[in-house]
Amino acid sequence: MAIEQLLILIKPDGIKKSLTGNILTKLSEARMVIIGAKVVKVSKELAEQHYFHLKDRPFFGELVDYIQGKLYGEPYDRVLALVYQGEDAITRMRTLAGATNPEEADPVSIRGAYGRITTKGVYENVVHCSSDMSEAEREIKLWFKPEEIVKYIYPTKKITVEKEEEIVWE
Ligand code: UDP
Ligand code: MG
């Protein structure tokens, strides 16, 4: 079995329902290590890039609003983004997450226990979980910079950039 990495997002419905602890506890059953973690207020651009593969589906606009937390607003319009690493991580984490449709998901999986289908038909399924290694690589690179992860899991290079303004501690 190969060592894999994947992206997990605790989506805004998971934040709103105060499920962060429950979800992390459930995921810890797989005995993976967390190698990156941050809270992200999701821009429209990031949301659209993340769900790029679904752009032709009729629910795409609602999906983008969902991952941005538009339904919930302050202070729930954010996600907790995590990178996990471990043996056979993708299959094992997806099993703990459960099927995409919360109604069909194993009732003791995260999505089965906590997900719902909105009246507009969107599957609010509490977590995102990369589904294969190439998707995981694309998503981890989309959500994280190399220095935000405790190991360089993909090849990196050094570049020189023009210094722009930045926020520092006063
Ligand atoms: N989704 C939905 N209706 C569908 C398919 C997908 O609302 O018929 C949403 C759901 O929130 C899902 C996300 O779109 O998690 C991404 O869909 P994907 O097919 O990639 O499922 P996942 O990989 O999240 O299980
Ligand atoms: Mg997917």
Side-chain angles (χ1 to χ4, degrees):
M1 290 289 180
I3 299 290
E4 297 172 341
Q5 298 84 26
L6 78 158
L7 178 80
I8 298 266
L9 302 175
I10 299 183
K11 296 179 177 180
D13 50 326
I15 306 283
K16 167 85 175 181
K17 292 173 173 171
S18 199
L19 289 170
T20 304
N22 306 54
I23 291 167
L24 294 178
T25 299
K26 184 75 184 167
L27 293 175
S28 70
E29 286 175 20
R31 302 198 170 211
M32 305 287 156
V33 291
I34 295 171
I35 58 171
K38 61 178 177 179
V39 182
V40 182
K41 209 151 168 156
V42 182
S43 67
K44 190 161 195 269
E45 189 192 16
L46 175 58
E48 287 176 350
Q49 285 183 49
H50 179 72
Y51 283 130
F52 175 75
H53 61 296
L54 296 169
K55 69 176 191 320
D56 297 326
R57 302 290 289 271
F59 56 82
F60 183 67
E62 268 136 29
L63 187 57
V64 167
D65 284 353
Y66 165 38
I67 198 72
Q68 287 194 271
K70 288 270 174 71
L71 294 177
Y72 303 121
E74 259 299 304
Y76 309 112
D77 51 350
R78 59 210 62 195
V79 304
L80 181 59
L82 302 147
V83 181
Y84 277 86
Q85 181 174 54
E87 212 165 271
D88 203 17
I90 296 174
T91 305
R92 291 173 64 193
M93 292 304 232
R94 276 196 75 96
T95 303
L96 292 174
T100 307
N101 179 343
E103 226 168 65
E104 289 169 2
D106 179 340
V108 301
S109 68
I110 294 164
R111 288 167 163 182
Y114 302 127
R116 67 164 187 158
I117 302 177
T118 68
T119 45
K120 286 187 174 169
V122 176
Y123 301 161
E124 275 196 356
N125 51 15
V126 183
V127 286
H128 167 79
C129 191
S130 310
S131 58
D132 59 51
M133 282 183 77
S134 70
E135 185 178 274
E137 181 174 345
R138 187 186 82 83
E139 292 177 350
I140 291 167
K141 288 177 174 174
L142 178 64
W143 287 81
F144 285 83
K145 295 185 186 132
E147 70 265 29
E148 292 175 320
I149 297 180
V150 296
K151 321 170 159 211
Y152 290 157
I153 52 180
Y154 306 117
T156 56
K157 63 178 179 185
K158 243 184 206 150
I159 58 164
T160 307
V161 288
E162 287 268 317
K163 255 288 174 231
E164 284 178 27
E165 280 182 9
E166 63 178 308
I167 305 290
V168 295
W169 304 117
E170 207 163 51

